Every structure is written in C-alpha cells, then in structure tokens.
C-alpha cells in the first residue's frame, strides 16, 4: 500500500512543480492562478463530484452507507474543531491561532483526497462518492464554524452559503442521477469524465504557481505553520482513527476512507477565507502550501500505519 499511495502523491507533487516552473520560466504569472481557480471551482470540481455518482449504481445499502458517512464526517470535524477551540479560544484575539484552528481541520478532501482514496480502495466505486459527501459536509462547516473562527464574529456565518455553493449544487444534481440510475450518452459521460480527471492536476498546478511568489523564509520561518502541519497531517488523522476504529456498525471501507481523507493537506478554502476576510492571508497561504508539500511523506506513512 505504501508504494501505491506514495506514487500517487508524488505525481501530484510533480504537477505542482509544473505550475512552479511555468511561472519561474516567465511562461505564465502567478496572477493567472485566479482564473484557473475559477475554472476549478465552478467547472472541474462539480464535474468530479457528478462523475463519481454517475458510476455508482443505486442500492438501499449504498444509500444508507452514504448517509452514515455524511453524518460521521460532519461530527468528526465538529468534534475536532471543538477540541481546538477549547485549547486556543483564549488566544483568538491573535488571528494566527484562528488560522491554526481551521487549518488543522479543513482538508483538500476533494481534489487530492478522492484520487488517494480510490488508490487505496480501487475496486469499490462508492469510495469516490464518500469523498464527494465529505466535501459537502465540510462545506457546511466552512460557511458556519469556519467563517466564525476566521472572523471571530458570528455575523459572518451563513447557512445560505453553506447550502448554495458550487459543491453543494453539484451534489444536488448528482443525487437524482444516482437515485434514478439516469444514463447519459457516451459523449456526455466521456466529457464529464475528462473534466473530472483534470481536477487534481489543475489544483496542484495552481498551488505551484502560487508557490512561485512565496519567500523561503516566510514559508518555513513561522512556528505556527509547523503547528498547523502537525495538527492537519498527523494529529487529526490519529484523532479520526481513534474515533471510528472501534465502531462496529461501520465497515472497513467506510472507516478507511474517513482516515484517508483526514490525512489530506489543508484545503485552499482556508486561504480563500483568509483572503476574503483579510485575516493572516500570508500565513494561511503558506499553511496550505507547506502541508501540501509535506503530505508527500506523511500521507503514505499515516495511511500505511492506520489502515
């Protein structure tokens, strides 16, 4: 398992190096990453989610499993947020502790997590749907708890944004396809599949482009960044493992997928929230970048040990 997971994650790092190279060689500029991010958010990401449900045949059992996964993934994130809130809330006047909190929980579970989970469980199509469901549960967290923590102000919390966003809309489109077994012409299916396969390369290329603007000292010079890396890449996966491993009503694939997705690096949404609310933008961006770089080592190790 270690070799297959390591190879998969290493390929993602190569995509990041491509983005870094095209900027350093002046073939593109980091500012172009914003346009690519729009393509990723509004087209490629939704295509990936829809594609995962197009390949899953409806059954009562799989539907129950998806429901369990949604509830448990939501509870796990809230619980870990609660733990971090208890530890850091007295220091929340300093924004870096708020970044540390959300950076330690919110992961890149869609763009990076899905291909890794599929690598670990290659013969089970429900795994891709689990990843999509995790993205949906995380979105509920992002626009409620996440926004509250990064702003330290409840007025920015929005249930509307938690429900009406590109990811959730893609899930709402996917569910009827799954329930009613809707089949599309092969041309449509192939097109959606092709767009879905572009997600991970595009995500990593964007991160590589952003890496080209980062100063080495800023990326490696703040202890808070290492704290976020430790929380997100090591402590949170162990927390998830300890919570779910003893539950007899969860099958091995569901438990394993939860653990795999918990090992993913901090998601770009953390940087997006920081930019939107002008809260430690540089720190948030560097947490995303460094956890992504280090996950090449941590994901294969943690997945091999815990699964």
């Amino acid at each position: 398992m270690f070799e297959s997971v390591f190879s998969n994650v290493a390929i993602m790092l190569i995509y990041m190096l491509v983005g870094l190279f095209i900027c350093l060689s002046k073939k593109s500029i980091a500012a172009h990453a914003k346009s690519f991010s729009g393509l990723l958010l509004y087209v490629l990401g939704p295509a990936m989610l829809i594609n995962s449900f197009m390949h899953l045949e409806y059954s009562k059992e799989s539907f129950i499993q998806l429901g369990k996964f949604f509830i448990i993934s939501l509870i796990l994130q809230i619980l870990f947020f609660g733990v971090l809130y208890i530890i850091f809330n007295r220091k929340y006047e300093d924004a870096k502790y708020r970044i540390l909190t959300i950076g330690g929980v919110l992961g890149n579970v869609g763009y990076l997590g899905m291909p890794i989970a599929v690598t670990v469980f290659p013969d089970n199509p429900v795994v891709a749907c689990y990843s999509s469901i995790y993205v949906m549960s995380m979105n509920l967290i992002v626009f409620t708890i996440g926004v509250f923590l990064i702003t330290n102000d409840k007025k920015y919390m929005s249930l509307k944004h938690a429900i009406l966003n590109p990811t959730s809309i893609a899930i709402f489109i996917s569910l009827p396809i799954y329930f009613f077994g809707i089949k599309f012409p092969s041309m449509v299916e192939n097109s959606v599949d092709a767009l879905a396969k572009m997600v991970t390369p595009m995500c990593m290329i964007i991160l590589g482009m952003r890496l080209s603007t980062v100063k080495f000292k800023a990326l490696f010079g703040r202890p808070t960044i290492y704290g976020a890396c430790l929380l997100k890449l090591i402590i949170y996966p162990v927390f998830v493992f300890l919570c779910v491993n003893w539950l007899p009503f969860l099958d091995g694939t569901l438990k394993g997928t939860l653990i795999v997705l918990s090992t993913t690096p901090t998601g770009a949404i953390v940087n997006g929230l920081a930019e939107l609310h002008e809260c430690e933008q540089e720190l948030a961006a560097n947490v995303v970048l460094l956890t992504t770089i280090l996950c090449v080592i941590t994901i294969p190790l943690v997945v091999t040990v815990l699964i």
Side-chain angles (χ1 to χ4, degrees):
M1 182 185 294
F2 178 89
E3 291 183 2
S4 61
V5 175
F6 177 79
S7 297
N8 197 283
V9 179
I11 290 172
M12 296 178 187
L13 182 61
I14 292 173
Y15 294 145
M16 179 187 284
L17 293 177
V18 170
L20 177 62
F21 172 77
I22 61 173
C23 286
L24 294 180
S25 62
K26 309 299 182 182
K27 303 301 181 184
S28 184
I29 59 175
H32 291 163
K34 184 175 182 180
S35 298
F36 293 142
S37 295
L39 178 64
L40 183 66
L41 177 64
Y42 291 103
V43 179
L44 303 183
M48 177 189 69
L49 300 181
I50 293 170
N51 187 62
S52 66
F53 281 92
M54 288 174 64
H55 293 89
L56 181 66
E57 184 176 346
Y58 173 79
S59 69
K60 183 179 179 180
E61 180 182 356
S62 67
F63 177 68
I64 292 173
Q65 293 298 96
L66 290 171
K68 285 182 182 179
F69 193 94
F70 175 79
I71 294 170
I72 293 170
S73 63
L74 185 64
I75 290 173
L76 287 171
Q77 292 172 88
I78 292 173
L79 284 176
F80 200 62
F81 264 126
V83 171
L84 297 183
Y85 182 82
I86 292 170
I87 295 172
F88 296 124
N89 79 91
R90 293 181 182 178
K91 301 179 180 180
Y92 276 172
E93 290 301 318
D94 187 342
K96 70 181 181 183
Y97 289 100
R98 304 201 301 272
I99 295 294
L100 184 62
T101 300
I102 66 170
V105 182
L106 303 178
N108 196 338
V109 295
Y111 305 150
L112 271 70
M114 183 181 293
I116 297 169
V118 171
T119 298
V120 176
F121 302 101
D123 300 321
N124 199 331
V126 77
V127 169
C129 296
Y130 283 159
S131 302
S132 300
I133 291 295
Y134 197 116
V135 174
M136 187 175 183
S137 70
M138 192 180 79
N139 268 11
L140 292 175
I141 299 287
V142 165
F143 294 104
T144 51
I145 296 174
V147 171
F148 164 67
L149 287 174
I150 206 164
T151 61
N152 212 20
D153 192 334
K154 294 180 180 180
K155 73 178 183 181
Y156 293 101
M157 297 172 67
S158 173
L159 186 59
K160 176 182 177 181
H161 290 155
I163 297 173
L164 297 178
N165 57 72
T167 298
S168 297
I169 291 172
I171 295 292
F172 296 147
I173 293 172
S174 301
L175 290 177
I177 295 174
Y178 164 65
F179 284 132
F180 301 110
I182 298 173
K183 300 297 181 183
F184 295 93
S186 59
M187 180 178 67
V188 174
E189 290 191 0
N190 292 338
S191 298
V192 174
D193 186 62
L195 291 171
K197 289 177 180 177
M198 293 171 62
V199 165
T200 300
M202 181 63 74
C203 174
M204 299 307 293
I205 287 171
I206 290 169
L207 287 173
M209 295 173 72
R210 289 175 174 160
L211 182 61
S212 69
T213 67
V214 174
K215 295 180 180 178
F216 185 87
K217 184 178 179 180
L219 185 60
F220 296 97
R222 294 185 66 176
T224 306
I225 298 177
Y226 296 104
C229 291
L230 181 64
L231 283 172
K232 185 67 197 73
L233 300 176
I234 305 296
I235 296 177
Y236 183 50
V238 172
F239 171 82
V240 170
F241 171 80
L242 293 175
C243 286
V244 304
N245 191 55
W246 59 275
L247 297 177
F249 55 86
L250 301 182
D251 64 41
T253 300
L254 193 152
K255 292 179 183 179
T257 305
L258 282 167
I259 294 168
V260 169
L261 296 179
S262 72
T263 67
T264 55
T266 301
I269 186 63
V270 173
N271 185 36
L273 289 175
E275 292 285 353
L276 180 64
H277 297 285
E278 299 181 350
C279 173
E280 284 279 7
Q281 298 96 312
E282 183 182 67
L283 175 62
N286 290 342
V287 166
V288 173
L289 287 169
L290 190 56
T291 55
T292 302
I293 293 170
L294 294 180
C295 81
V296 177
I297 300 170
T298 60
I299 289 178
L301 289 174
V302 174
V303 168
T304 301
V305 171
L306 297 183
I307 296 181

